[in-house]
Amino acid sequence: MALTALDIYKLLPKTNCKDCGFPTCLAFAMQMAAGKAGIDKCPPASEEAKAALGAASAPPLPRIVVGTGDRAVTLGDEVVLFRHEKTFYHPTAIAISVSDALGDEALEERLRSISALSFERVGQILAVDMVAVRFDSGDPARFAKTASASLARCGKPLLLSGTCAALAAAIREVGASRPLLRPPPGETAAGAALAAAEKLPLAVSARGIEGLAAALAAARAAGATELVADPKPADAAVAVADSIFIRRLAIVHRAQEIAYPTAFDLGQGFPRPFEAACLLLSKYASLLVLDTADPAEIFPLLTLRQNLFTDPQRPIQVDPGIYPIGKISPSSPVLITTNFSLTYFTVRSDVEAAKTPAYLLIAECDGMSVLTAWAAGKFTSESIAALLAESGISGKVDHRTLILPGMVARLSGKIEELSQWRVLVGPQESSALPSYLRRLPPAAFVPVHG
Amino acid sequence: MTVPLPKQAYPGRILPVTLPAGPGGTPVTVGGQNALSLAPEGEKPNAAAIGMEVRTGGGDLPPALAKAFECRATDPVSLAGACANDWGAQFLFLSLDGCHPDGGGQPVEEGARIVHEVLAAVSCPVIVGGCGEEETDAKLFPAVAESAGRPVFLSYADEKNYRLVGGAALAYGHGVVAWSPIDINMAKQANLLLSDLGVPPERILIDPLTGGLGYGLEYTYSIVERIRLAGLSGDAMLARPVLCHLGDAWKAREAVDASETSWGDAVLRGRRWEETTGWACLAAGADLLVFRHPGNVEAFREAAWR
Ligand code: B12
Ligand code: SF4
């Protein structure tokens, strides 16, 4: 069980010396109980207290890194059950499977389609994270060859699923890339010894939480330390229940014996894999293995992941400023919008589709959409007038005409009053911008003098 | 080794709400649980209900829906029949968007007539949605409330129009969907206002506004979780079933655009876009889900454990 603030307080020096940066020992104990501070911040603590509380201040869900370099994937290291309590930090990794029984051409084609699973949304690249190599051929040498081809072709960290003999062969080829090893349930101890010797992370598979706890203990006994837990559920319902319970055991109960990042293999005939993937993305899975490489299925899954792993306190946003689009000139139209990434990229792509070079002026609105920012008082006549005066846009164009989002038409009069600019109210939806911009007479953007 | 099963008990319980059916039809009861969705704990007497949206307005159908509807797309009455009788919808959400000034501008009487016909054609429960234009809805709801031959739910009542919609519902024995824009305080406020007006609690559903996948779903996801946690902790005004209308999923370019070939087949992608939105809402705690794609109704109904 997790220690309460009072349990922790009892072990602290109780001198309120403030070295930890908190006014009292009790305040510090409360931070520790919430997982937000560690005993290392209290220098006067006794050795017994450090020993007893060191474990309590470890992250409730350990952090496991698979792969190396920029493409390395972090699993686990989460602190809350609900994203509104803080945020989720490490997006569920998605691994697409490759069978080592594929012929050379089919393998090449499969790896090509996995590499192609990359999409741009609101300025972020969404891509699958790993390749899961399955040992179907019965030939360890072939497994090793498939693993190295996967690594070379996709450049993504590997999940290696196979017998210990196959894993050992593959490690000789790709061990330096820090793959995640996944031996079959019957070979947990041998797999753990291999992982320990090679200092590699290990996925331990066993059915159900009880079975898993025993298998994880066996893996630890064999020396493996970087563990991932796979409860081998039979269907989506069991999978999501296991996932919820493991996360609760980690975060609420601090049950270290089972507190590991989770992995679920939704391939090889797992019933209703798409449904299971959506539910497990929503509910805590650290790693999913999928057999599908169909972009029509992967794109929505990656978008769900992007949504849920966005910090609720900080929407995805772009820097405020002046964004030229196309071959701009001093007579190009000036449009204004907010710095919410979704808004910016939507408007930007519609302006691009219009093929009319233009300046897009982005206002600082804490990453809120046009109407939300207006309702929150962040996108006002005053702030827009100030931006027109201070952004430097008047040095870039020789006209003084601003196109305002149709949703905030009501701001136009006041902006004209507060600035030197004339305001044209644009369409409500930026998708109407192409026809709107085409219809605008060039006279709208004649230079002003004096 | 034994690991304790980390079951969680909550002091509160979600109020059961029944959507009444027509003669020979099956009413839909949702709510009644005292636990979060998906965790195998507590009592969950009613699975989430799966409904379908039928629209009276025209407009181009996304490729995925054009394929699934085939020739039934244009006529709301026969589409309603297909949803209820062939595709397994447990309830219908009839959107009178055809009455919107920009969506065809059907007269209010025409909207009320379609409601009447649909209610005659299907026996499942029906939620009737307004057109979204304030002035038109102010006439539409009373007309629908009066002419509907049997009890329905009216969607929606918010801070501004609750007197009108709540009043119309009370006068003719209908239920009300209380709407708020992704804000837990406003959700609570809408429920309080309807209660003060005298609408019985077992005739109110919460619609927290559902942002589609990629377009605000994360805000909805967290608001539904917070509403549910508040309800289970004992806040009676929020201990009510939540309805997620997945219509916004179809507004995403990613759900409809067939020109981006690197995104995969638009027919499958559109369906998955809505389905993904639906599973996330279910995971967050939704009790009623409104789909447009028949295949998704089937997928969710088969997941009987939900
Ligand atoms: C998600 C959301 C939120 C999120 C925030 C999202 C964000 N980062 O901004 C949260 C939940 C935090 C939120 C909060 C609030 N919200 Co809010 N929110 C929404 C929601 C559902 C979607 C907004 C969105 O993401 N739109 C997508 C983006 C791309 O749209 P957009 O920026 O407007 O851009 C479009 C157009 O404006 C146009 N456009 C944009 N730029 C330009 C530029 C030019 C030149 C042109 C021509 C066109 C153009 O094209 C774009 C694409 O169509 C809307 C309802 C809705 N369905 O629109 C309500 C909505 C905007 N919110 C509203 C309100 C009232 C609020 C709150 C005050 C209270 C509340 N919770 O509801 C708070 C305010 C925030 C605060 N005080 O902190 C109201 C605004 C009411 C009004 N009519 O003004 C809305 C309309 C809901 C409603 N119907 O009541 N909100
Ligand atoms: S540093 Fe330790 S002893 Fe000093 S106030 Fe903080 S908790 Fe108390």
Side-chain angles (χ1 to χ4, degrees):
Chain A
M1 274 301 261
L3 292 175
T4 66
L6 214 57
D7 298 332
I8 296 169
Y9 176 70
K10 285 183 191 145
L11 295 167
L12 292 176
K14 304 192 198 64
T15 55
N16 299 337
C17 76
K18 301 191 177 58
D19 279 3
C20 55
F22 293 94
T24 61
C25 295
L26 186 60
F28 179 71
M30 282 157 67
Q31 291 297 311
M32 261 190 79
K36 290 178 188 150
I39 188 65
D40 52 309
K41 293 275 151 37
C42 167
S46 68
E47 286 311 313
E48 298 99 279
K50 281 183 183 156
L53 295 176
S57 62
L61 195 61
R63 169 195 182 93
I64 305 293
V65 177
V66 181
T68 59
D70 321 340
R71 293 262 183 104
V73 170
T74 300
L75 308 177
D77 195 17
E78 298 288 349
V79 297
V80 293
L81 289 182
F82 301 102
R83 59 189 290 283
H84 63 258
E85 294 174 319
K86 192 158 175 40
T87 185
F88 293 156
Y89 290 98
H90 297 291
T92 308
I94 296 189
I96 307 296
S97 67
V98 162
S99 168
D100 75 343
L102 292 177
D104 287 350
E105 253 172 59
L107 174 65
E108 181 63 19
E109 172 54 25
R110 179 77 177 166
L111 295 175
R112 195 201 55 75
S113 61
I114 294 174
S115 293
L117 293 173
S118 172
F119 312 88
E120 195 176 337
R121 274 202 91 252
V122 293
Q124 298 186 339
I125 299 293
L126 311 183
V128 298
D129 310 275
M130 296 173 63
V131 178
V133 187
R134 295 193 194 279
F135 181 49
D136 297 326
S137 67
D139 174 4
R142 183 158 180 160
F143 181 67
K145 198 171 144 244
T146 309
S148 61
S150 302
L151 184 65
R153 187 73 178 75
C154 299
K156 298 177 193 289
L158 300 179
L159 167 68
L160 301 176
S161 284
T163 60
C164 288
L167 294 177
I171 288 169
R172 285 193 288 277
E173 301 283 331
V174 297
S177 71
R178 250 187 97 70
L180 173 61
L181 307 181
R182 184 166 171 265
E187 294 186 30
T188 298
L194 189 59
E198 305 284 343
K199 299 199 167 45
L200 292 177
L202 175 78
V204 173
S205 314
R207 182 146 291 191
I209 290 181
E210 290 279 312
L212 195 51
L216 286 162
R220 285 191 299 264
T225 52
E226 298 172 89
L227 302 178
V228 174
D230 169 8
K232 287 190 82 59
D235 59 29
V238 179
V240 73
D242 285 348
S243 187
I244 291 173
F245 279 171
I246 292 174
R247 179 62 64 91
R248 271 192 205 159
L249 283 163
I251 306 276
V252 182
H253 302 262
R254 300 286 169 105
Q256 282 169 331
E257 67 276 19
I258 188 90
Y260 292 100
T262 49
F264 296 88
D265 189 342
L266 305 180
Q268 295 190 305
F270 190 93
R272 304 174 166 281
F274 191 82
E275 162 186 336
C278 291
L279 293 173
L280 289 166
L281 275 171
S282 305
K283 288 290 168 193
Y284 314 133
S286 308
L287 169 63
L288 299 178
V289 181
L290 301 173
D291 281 352
T292 175
D294 184 341
E297 301 202 293
I298 300 298
F299 192 17
L301 292 176
L302 292 174
T303 305
L304 176 60
R305 176 176 84 173
Q306 180 186 40
N307 277 178
L308 296 179
F309 285 84
T310 296
D311 183 346
Q313 265 56 260
R314 208 187 131 74
I316 306 176
Q317 46 195 278
V318 293
D319 291 331
I322 302 172
Y323 289 73
I325 300 176
K327 283 203 162 76
I328 31 84
S329 72
S331 62
S332 296
V334 176
L335 299 91
I336 190 164
T337 193
T338 71
N339 74 326
F340 185 30
S341 279
L342 185 59
T343 302
Y344 165 75
F345 283 101
T346 309
V347 176
R348 176 172 186 118
S349 78
D350 290 331
V351 174
E352 282 168 355
K355 300 205 163 54
T356 309
Y359 283 103
L360 194 52
L361 205 52
I362 302 298
E364 165 65 88
C365 296
D366 291 345
M368 288 184 190
S369 77
V370 168
L371 272 185
T372 311
W374 173 81
K378 310 248 175 212
F379 195 53
T380 62
S381 306
E382 288 75 12
S383 70
I384 293 171
L387 189 66
L388 289 171
E390 292 154 19
S391 63
I393 186 66
S394 44
K396 302 209 182 261
V397 292
D398 53 18
H399 65 84
R400 293 290 177 267
T401 302
L402 176 71
I403 301 177
L404 192 66
M407 305 266 196
V408 288
R410 59 201 131 197
L411 300 180
S412 62
K414 190 81 184 285
I415 298 173
E416 289 192 339
E417 235 172 74
L418 295 172
S419 71
Q420 309 295 316
W421 290 64
R422 187 161 72 98
V423 175
L424 297 181
V425 174
Q428 300 228 331
E429 305 273 335
S430 58
S431 53
L433 272 171
S435 64
Y436 175 84
L437 289 176
R438 245 176 274 128
R439 280 201 322 268
L440 272 186
F445 303 102
V446 290
V448 289
H449 300 286
Chain B
M1 172 174 321
T2 52
V3 182
L5 270 192
K7 294 201 176 182
Q8 173 87 41
Y10 295 91
R13 185 182 284 277
I14 307 306
L15 192 76
V17 169
T18 298
L19 283 68
T26 313
V28 165
T29 301
V30 290
Q33 69 272 43
N34 62 357
L36 293 179
S37 59
L38 304 182
E41 61 194 8
E43 290 155 29
K44 295 177 181 168
N46 302 300
I50 309 304
M52 282 185 84
E53 179 178 28
V54 173
R55 297 183 170 198
T56 61
D60 288 345
L61 284 178
L65 293 179
K67 179 123 199 266
F69 291 172
E70 289 168 350
C71 53
R72 282 187 264 233
T74 47
D75 165 19
V77 180
S78 57
L79 188 62
C83 292
N85 305 325
D86 306 341
W87 296 330
Q90 292 170 276
F91 67 94
L92 294 185
F93 191 106
L94 179 58
S95 297
L96 299 180
D97 58 340
C99 295
H100 195 287
D102 303 340
Q106 278 168 357
V108 163
E109 301 71 46
E110 173 72 0
R113 188 188 58 79
I114 297 176
V115 174
H116 198 85
E117 278 184 33
V118 167
L119 287 176
V122 301
S123 56
C124 67
V126 174
I127 300 174
V128 181
C131 73
E133 202 272 324
E134 238 173 274
E135 278 175 35
T136 312
D137 281 350
K139 292 180 223 134
L140 199 50
F141 283 122
V144 167
E146 189 186 339
S147 69
R150 61 176 163 101
V152 296
F153 270 65
L154 301 176
S155 170
Y156 54 82
D158 66 4
E159 266 182 345
K160 282 193 230 154
N161 73 357
Y162 75 97
R163 280 179 191 284
L164 182 99
V165 179
L170 273 177
Y172 298 96
H174 302 301
V176 181
V177 178
W179 181 91
S180 47
I182 320 191
D183 184 313
I184 190 167
N185 297 316
M186 290 167 83
K188 184 164 176 170
Q189 177 70 1
N191 277 276
L192 270 170
L193 292 170
L194 286 170
S195 292
D196 288 350
L197 200 66
V199 180
E202 63 282 356
R203 273 204 258 149
I204 301 177
L205 298 171
I206 295 178
D207 177 350
L209 194 168
T210 303
L213 178 61
Y215 294 85
L217 175 61
E218 69 274 38
Y219 296 99
T220 301
Y221 185 88
S222 287
I223 278 300
V224 173
E225 283 195 329
R226 289 177 59 199
I227 289 176
R228 184 48 38 94
L229 286 166
L232 291 175
S233 312
D235 187 332
M237 284 301 149
L238 294 172
R240 295 183 180 170
V242 169
L243 175 141
C244 285
H245 190 299
L246 309 173
D248 258 16
W250 294 103
K251 292 188 192 151
R253 185 175 154 234
E254 294 89 333
V256 301
D257 192 339
S259 69
E260 286 278 357
T261 48
S262 68
W263 292 355
D265 172 37
V267 170
L268 177 62
R269 177 169 16 98
R271 174 180 165 182
R272 292 299 197 213
W273 209 262
E274 182 187 57
E275 181 179 355
T276 304
T277 312
W279 290 120
C281 290
L282 187 81
D287 301 281
L288 301 110
L289 294 164
V290 180
F291 290 91
R292 294 185 72 191
H293 197 291
N296 287 337
V297 174
E298 192 184 340
F300 277 70
R301 290 214 58 184
E302 280 174 13
W305 52 273
R306 69 192 184 272

